[in-house]
Amino acid sequence: IADWIPAFLTGTENPSAIKRCICAAGHKAMFNPAWNGYPDADFLGSLDEGLARVRATLPDKAYTIADTAGSLTPEWAAKLGLAAGTPVAVGAFDAHLGAVGSGIKPGVLVKILGTSSCDMMVSPMDSDLPDIPGLCGIVPGSILPGYYGLEAGQSAVGDIYNWFVNSIQPRGAAGTHESLTRDAEALVPGQSGLLGLDWHNGNRTVLVDQRLTGLLLGMTLQTTPAEIYRALIESTAFGARVIVERFGEYGVKVDRIVNCGGISAKNTLVMQIYADAIARPMEISRSSQTCALGAAIAGSVAAGTSRGGHPDILTAAKAMTAVQPTVFSPTPGNVKIYERLYSMYRHLHDVFGTRDTSDNLYDVMKELLDIRDAVSA
């Protein structure tokens, strides 16, 4: 639909004339200019002969959001209150435009936090970039023209919190996100004695295994719903830290983390736990509609300077994006405890998620109790 909507608005009715966006083509259909577009017909035909026929309909070129898909038709100009002939930018996925609307640039990791997460960075195409294992795609120009778009993410974040509130229903009708958040805020890191794996919908990055499942360790007869709720949030924060570290391990430096999406704007507990567990400040995009803002930035470049637009995406983003004044900074005491918990999280992560370890887990339950007793005292 990222290709279809610009085509529809510009009256492009012949599929062969549609300008395909590199964002969708690269991240979802394996398009890469290095092999002249999509995988070739022989390869696709070896999987299924029908795919070879599909390949014959696909173009060998894809476009970035700085390119123009066409001009707005008189019909749609009238409906939208715009001038006929207004340039329409090539499309992209919501999350990738959300990164643009959050001011993504080299060194900035944009996290879209909602039901799942999408974590994005960019790297200059004129510099060497290794093939980073576990990402959801490294695509030239998919976020910003002239930069590789690097996409990672978690298969579930808010969906895990919703599962606990709506499916488990720990307090019946009284068990709302608001009430559980309020009680979870009264707890300190490690107090619950709990540790979770955030794989309730599989692992997207870095293990890329949808048959992994969630886990909650350390429950006793005294465990409360608020403790579980906080532990679930902490598990997603630890999963987010794995992604941050994966970028750094392969030379993509994370200088700042800018968050957007519903959770970042609505839940200060989540943001503070992320800051403490990842040990980095958490910034939040000023716009509550970053995906729409990213599309507007692309539109301003498509319009061109003669129509009052901007000359390129980064210039437009600099003029049109910002972060909120509130920054969630790591709390040193909390960071120290989360370092211990994260070390155990990585132990569980590797034991359950990889074939590379034969470690036993005898000490994990005991250490969780030690941390719980120490912070409670």
Side-chain angles (χ1 to χ4, degrees):
I1 203 168
D3 291 330
W4 181 78
I5 288 177
F8 191 68
L9 293 175
T10 58
T12 308
E13 298 180 350
N14 189 328
S16 66
I18 293 175
K19 288 187 176 180
R20 310 275 181 150
C21 69
I22 184 63
C23 180
H27 286 285
K28 302 302 182 185
M30 300 181 289
F31 183 101
N32 194 300
W35 54 63
N36 298 318
Y38 299 92
D40 64 40
D42 288 343
F43 167 73
L44 293 174
S46 71
L47 304 176
D48 187 291
E49 62 181 19
L51 292 177
R53 294 197 299 272
V54 171
R55 177 63 181 90
T57 72
L58 298 176
D60 293 329
K61 185 174 182 179
Y63 297 83
T64 74
I65 58 171
D67 294 312
T68 301
S71 300
L72 195 64
T73 65
E75 177 188 5
W76 277 102
K79 290 181 179 180
L80 297 173
L82 299 171
T86 297
V88 177
V90 167
F93 286 148
D94 51 359
H96 297 73
L97 284 170
V100 175
S102 298
I104 195 169
K105 59 184 179 180
V108 175
L109 168 64
V110 173
K111 289 185 63 64
I112 297 182
L113 286 174
T115 55
S116 60
S117 82
C118 195
D119 297 22
M120 284 162 291
M121 295 195 74
V122 295
S123 181
M125 288 170 56
D126 57 5
S127 300
D128 291 336
L129 178 68
D131 186 10
I132 306 174
L135 297 195
C136 308
I138 300 175
V139 179
S142 64
I143 301 175
L144 295 179
Y147 295 83
Y148 290 107
L150 290 72
E151 180 187 351
Q154 293 162 271
S155 298
V157 177
D159 274 343
I160 298 176
Y161 317 156
N162 280 331
W163 160 79
F164 186 59
V165 170
N166 299 325
S167 296
I168 304 303
Q169 296 182 318
R171 295 174 175 171
T176 63
H177 288 287
E178 291 76 15
S179 68
L180 288 164
T181 295
R182 183 177 61 250
D183 292 347
E185 281 179 322
L187 303 169
V188 298
Q191 183 177 346
S192 68
L194 300 175
L195 181 64
L197 288 174
D198 52 314
W199 299 343
H200 296 59
N201 197 31
N203 180 281
R204 187 179 180 205
T205 307
V206 298
L207 299 172
V208 196
D209 188 345
Q210 295 309 309
R211 287 182 58 78
L212 291 172
T213 54
L215 178 146
L216 190 63
L217 184 66
M219 290 179 287
T220 72
L221 294 177
Q222 287 73 48
T223 298
T224 68
E227 289 174 337
I228 295 176
Y229 192 71
R230 183 178 181 111
L232 294 174
I233 295 173
E234 290 169 344
S235 74
T236 62
F238 293 146
R241 178 168 170 173
V242 172
I243 293 172
V244 173
E245 292 182 350
R246 175 52 56 95
F247 281 123
E249 288 164 1
Y250 286 83
V252 182
K253 187 179 179 182
V254 178
D255 297 319
R256 296 169 54 208
I257 300 176
V258 177
N259 299 269
C260 60
I263 291 176
S264 63
K266 295 176 182 178
N267 197 307
T268 58
L269 173 64
V270 173
M271 287 292 91
Q272 188 60 54
I273 288 176
Y274 271 57
D276 293 338
I278 302 175
R280 291 173 178 265
M282 293 291 128
E283 301 177 65
I284 300 177
S285 174
R286 181 179 65 187
S287 173
S288 62
Q289 297 290 340
T290 53
C291 303
L293 177 57
I297 288 170
S300 76
V301 174
T305 55
S306 64
R307 293 175 178 259
H310 294 279
D312 57 71
I313 298 294
L314 282 176
T315 301
K318 184 176 181 179
M320 298 169 69
T321 68
V323 294
Q324 296 182 15
T326 300
V327 177
F328 294 86
S329 298
T331 306
N334 292 350
V335 170
K336 187 175 180 179
I337 297 170
Y338 278 134
E339 287 293 332
R340 291 182 66 186
L341 291 171
Y342 179 67
S343 177
M344 286 188 285
Y345 173 92
R346 283 308 301 255
H347 192 182
L348 295 176
H349 176 281
D350 294 345
V351 168
F352 284 102
T354 74
R355 301 177 184 270
D356 301 333
T357 179
S358 59
D359 293 347
N360 75 56
L361 300 172
Y362 176 82
D363 293 332
V364 174
M365 290 182 182
K366 316 302 189 298
E367 188 170 355
L368 286 172
L369 292 175
D370 289 344
I371 293 172
R372 182 199 67 182
D373 295 343
V375 298
S376 296

